[in-house]
Amino acid sequence: MAIGLLGACAVLVVLVEVPGGHSSPRRASPEPRPRRLAPAVLTPSASRGLQLLRNAATACQKIPFRGTQLADWWGPAGGSASVIQVWHRPGGAVLARSSSTAAGPPGERQPDPDALPDSDEVMTLTPALVTLMRANYVLSYDGHGAVDGRAAQLVEVRRPGGGLAARFWIDDATRLPLRRELFDSHSQIFSEDAFVGLSVGAGQLGSMPAARAQPWSGQLTAARRAALRTAGWPVPVTLAGGLTLFSSSEMAGSSGRVLDLSYSDGLSVISVFLQRGQLPRELPGWRRVKGSGSSVYAVDPDDRSLAWSARGYVYTVISDAPVGTVNQAVLSLPHGSPAGFWERMGRGFRRIASWANPFR
């Protein structure tokens, strides 16, 4: 009887630990709703800061402009800088011409960096990002300033514990964001972007280049994401580090369907490109680093562009987030292969044995 009970318990442990990624189709559970803040009375400073960011998000959608964006980024391996020419036509794509080469999903490269539709490198705000920012941070108005001779209003963004997370300079005349500083969990600056030579109006778009690639289409609805999960696609609603899925799309590439999943806490954005397949043993230009149960490849010294394959899918992560946030997000995604039956069975027996051992 004791042996029979022991065996039954072991089988129970095995069944509980079986991963669901490639199991038989199951009914899709409703997608969790984004976390909502409890109603709170905003201080005048917080209310003004929030309104400035909302105005900036609206301006980023409705105002035609062109300008030069100076971008600096600092990490453990040093710093990097780039100069980006940006054009925006309302109702159309944001186009960016950068001096740096952007990495894309191995086997399914991103559009040519000379004309990137909706480039993640461009300093911009959207209503979704402002909503996430308010949910995760404390906003406040911080007075007057100036960027490249343009008068601006400052908005300070702090973590709930009080640490500085970001500062925004919002243009007085256009409400466009002119400058942004991002700080890590130690309140050390790691990213700074600023517009110079900003010109506003449809007449400024005459030199706007044509996109060499079509922008991502096929925005994913909640129902479509649920269907993909049922089919085995790993499409999490959240990632570690307080990141929430706020944008998702798909496109049909030469090697099959590719998903573009964007996660953010309102400040930093992590883009996860997902497609079926397996990475080759060697990736020219990428260096190999050790991940959680699988080989992870990096294309830059600060590990801002990472790729690996796991359980029949290739993951490519591109981010402007602090290194610690990127590490948490990457580790929360699948790695390696599901444990085999005998490995799970042995683990179950060892666990039961530890329960029965009074000296552990």
Side-chain angles (χ1 to χ4, degrees), residues 164-218:
L164 183 62
R167 276 197 292 252
F168 288 87
W169 282 254
I170 308 300
D171 187 24
D172 269 354
T174 65
R175 300 294 186 253
L176 289 168
L178 295 176
R179 181 178 172 186
R180 176 188 63 189
E181 295 177 342
L182 299 178
F183 300 81
D184 61 21
S185 58
H186 303 290
S187 295
Q188 298 293 317
I189 188 170
F190 72 88
S191 175
E192 180 179 6
D193 299 91
F195 271 121
V196 296
L198 184 68
S199 301
V200 178
Q204 304 298 323
L205 303 181
S207 60
M208 183 175 181
R212 298 183 184 177
Q214 293 298 318
W216 285 74
S217 58

Side-chain angles (χ1 to χ4, degrees), residues 16 44 47 51 68 70 76 80 83 111 154-155 189 202 210 249 283 304 334 339 347 357:
V16 169
S47 180
Q51 190 58 52
T68 300
L70 308 179
S80 62
V83 179
L154 273 69
V155 179
I189 188 170
S249 57
L283 284 176
R304 297 172 64 193
R347 190 160 60 239
N357 186 349

Side-chain angles (χ1 to χ4, degrees), residues 5 8 20 24 43 50 56 95 100 154 159 192-194 209 245 253 256 264 273 280-281 286 308 339 353 359:
L5 289 173
S24 58
T43 65
L50 176 60
L95 296 185
S100 60
L154 273 69
R159 295 179 171 83
E192 180 179 6
D193 299 91
L245 180 66
S264 179
F273 297 91
R281 290 183 177 273
W286 296 67
W308 72 94
F359 298 103

Side-chain angles (χ1 to χ4, degrees), residues 103-106 108 259 261 270-275 279 286 305-308 314-318:
E108 193 65 49
L259 303 187
L261 310 173
I270 289 183
S271 296
V272 179
F273 297 91
L274 183 64
Q275 62 190 115
L279 283 181
W286 296 67
S305 300
L306 300 167
W308 72 94
V314 175
Y315 297 80
T316 304
V317 170
I318 301 175

Side-chain angles (χ1 to χ4, degrees), residues 77-246:
S80 62
S82 62
V83 179
I84 308 170
Q85 302 298 322
V86 179
W87 294 261
H88 173 250
R89 177 178 287 118
V94 173
L95 296 185
R97 175 171 290 162
S98 175
S99 59
S100 60
T101 301
E108 193 65 49
R109 303 293 293 184
Q110 282 291 86
D112 191 305
D114 279 346
L116 286 174
D118 300 316
S119 172
D120 288 338
E121 296 181 22
V122 178
M123 177 178 57
T124 188
L125 283 170
T126 67
L129 289 176
V130 174
T131 299
L132 285 170
M133 203 184 307
R134 188 197 171 192
N136 291 290
Y137 297 96
V138 178
L139 312 178
S140 64
Y141 174 69
D142 198 38
H144 299 272
V147 177
D148 193 35
R150 301 181 70 98
Q153 305 286 319
L154 273 69
V155 179
E156 193 173 75
V157 183
R158 290 189 172 272
R159 295 179 171 83
L164 183 62
R167 276 197 292 252
F168 288 87
W169 282 254
I170 308 300
D171 187 24
D172 269 354
T174 65
R175 300 294 186 253
L176 289 168
L178 295 176
R179 181 178 172 186
R180 176 188 63 189
E181 295 177 342
L182 299 178
F183 300 81
D184 61 21
S185 58
H186 303 290
S187 295
Q188 298 293 317
I189 188 170
F190 72 88
S191 175
E192 180 179 6
D193 299 91
F195 271 121
V196 296
L198 184 68
S199 301
V200 178
Q204 304 298 323
L205 303 181
S207 60
M208 183 175 181
R212 298 183 184 177
Q214 293 298 318
W216 285 74
S217 58
Q219 296 297 313
L220 299 179
T221 63
R224 176 59 178 155
R225 292 193 294 269
L228 286 168
R229 293 188 190 101
T230 301
W233 287 77
V235 185
V237 177
T238 60
L239 296 180
L243 303 170
T244 300
L245 180 66
F246 75 96

Side-chain angles (χ1 to χ4, degrees), residues 285-299:
W286 296 67
R287 61 183 176 84
R288 187 172 178 176
V289 296
K290 287 297 181 181
S292 177
S294 62
S295 294
V296 177
Y297 296 84
V299 75

